Amino acid sequence: MATLPNPLPRLASLGLQLPPGGPVDTTVDGPWHEPLLWLADERSAPGGWAALRRTAPAVGLLPVVLDVGAGHGGPERWELMPGEMSYPGNHDPEEVLEEFWDECAQEDADWPGLAGTDHADDATDPESVASDVVDSLLDGHGPLKDPRFALVPARRSADIPTAIGWTGPANHDNDTGRLSAVLRSWEERFGIRVVALGFDTLLVSVAAPPRTPAEAEALAAEHFAFCPDNIWQGSDPTLPAYAEHQLLNQPAWHFWWD
């Protein structure tokens, strides 16, 4: 995958005010030739995300929260495979989603196309929404078991999973670059930011969520193609129910691959 020059080898000289932590270069095939990410040693607290966003992007690093306490350990045990990931910009997001749809939907269900949005231009600032969502995750009542701040050398938030070689969706697609292509499209249409990753979970903040049932149902088809387990393993495994309860006016989307 094409990336910016990696600033992590010279992190100590960049003048960032970071909590105790260190680089991670562990992959399924042994140590990577350079650090894939920096990971904090201690549990993250509310307010820390905003501090990282003020300084880290200027040196080519983007923050993300990693959940190291959900039974799979930290990224050293996540079977990272950076060498196997393609560049997200090489993929058309609609073609990726249509291919997934054709694999997972019923045979007589045609791909409905990408969902539109009429309010992306008047959305709340995506970075502010991301900061609020992260703070809510770190208040002790969120779904993350042991959240740690991490910094990743990436051009944009959507590329974070691919930049570290994350393999969480491997049972759905083993090239995370294709999923990052979809995340890039959601950045542009819905103002999403990748804010948290677990072994097989992904959470994004959403600055311009769908505001009508029709918009939400159109987007539910994309979510089904992107992560069918979200619908198949839900309490009411239908797209309309998923749209109503998980997408309509929601500031965060959560994905989990079995």
Side-chain angles (χ1 to χ4, degrees), residues 1 36 49 62-64 66 152-166 176 180 183 193-195 197:
M1 171 179 165
L36 295 168
W49 177 275
L62 294 180
V64 67
L66 302 187
V152 176
R155 296 177 183 271
R156 52 196 293 179
S157 174
D159 293 355
I160 287 174
T162 304
I164 68 172
W166 183 62
T176 307
S180 281
L183 293 173
R193 295 293 185 269
V194 173
V195 295
L197 290 170

Side-chain angles (χ1 to χ4, degrees), residues 3-16 18 21-26 32-40 52 56 59-64 149-154 163-164:
T3 61
L4 293 169
N6 189 343
L8 288 175
R10 51 188 179 87
L11 185 62
S13 67
L14 297 178
L16 302 180
L18 300 176
V24 174
D25 65 359
T26 307
W32 194 238
H33 63 272
E34 60 184 4
L36 295 168
L37 60 106
W38 170 91
L39 181 67
L52 291 175
V59 299
L61 297 170
L62 294 180
V64 67
F149 284 129
L151 293 174
V152 176
I164 68 172

Side-chain angles (χ1 to χ4, degrees), residues 19 21 76 80 98 106 118 123 140 153 156 164-165 173 193 199 204:
E76 300 90 344
L80 302 180
E98 183 173 7
Q106 296 179 354
D118 296 327
R156 52 196 293 179
I164 68 172
D173 193 300
R193 295 293 185 269
F199 173 73
V204 305

Side-chain angles (χ1 to χ4, degrees), residues 19-139:
V24 174
D25 65 359
T26 307
T27 77
V28 69
D29 296 319
W32 194 238
H33 63 272
E34 60 184 4
L36 295 168
L37 60 106
W38 170 91
L39 181 67
D41 291 337
E42 303 296 333
R43 184 183 181 93
S44 303
W49 177 275
L52 291 175
R53 280 292 317 179
R54 283 193 296 268
T55 57
V59 299
L61 297 170
L62 294 180
V64 67
V65 177
L66 302 187
D67 188 0
V68 306
H72 298 283
E76 300 90 344
R77 297 175 55 192
W78 286 2
E79 300 179 346
L80 302 180
M81 302 177 64
E84 301 302 314
M85 306 305 169
S86 62
Y87 179 56
N90 290 340
H91 305 287
D92 179 276
E94 181 165 16
E95 290 180 359
V96 171
L97 287 170
E98 183 173 7
E99 180 180 328
F100 288 154
W101 175 272
D102 289 342
E103 292 173 355
C104 299
Q106 296 179 354
E107 290 186 7
D108 59 348
D110 293 331
W111 165 243
L114 294 182
T117 177
D118 296 327
H119 49 270
D121 292 339
D122 61 357
T124 306
D125 173 52
E127 305 306 337
S128 297
V129 175
S131 182
D132 290 344
V133 168
V134 170
D135 282 351
S136 71
L137 291 172
L138 304 181
D139 66 2

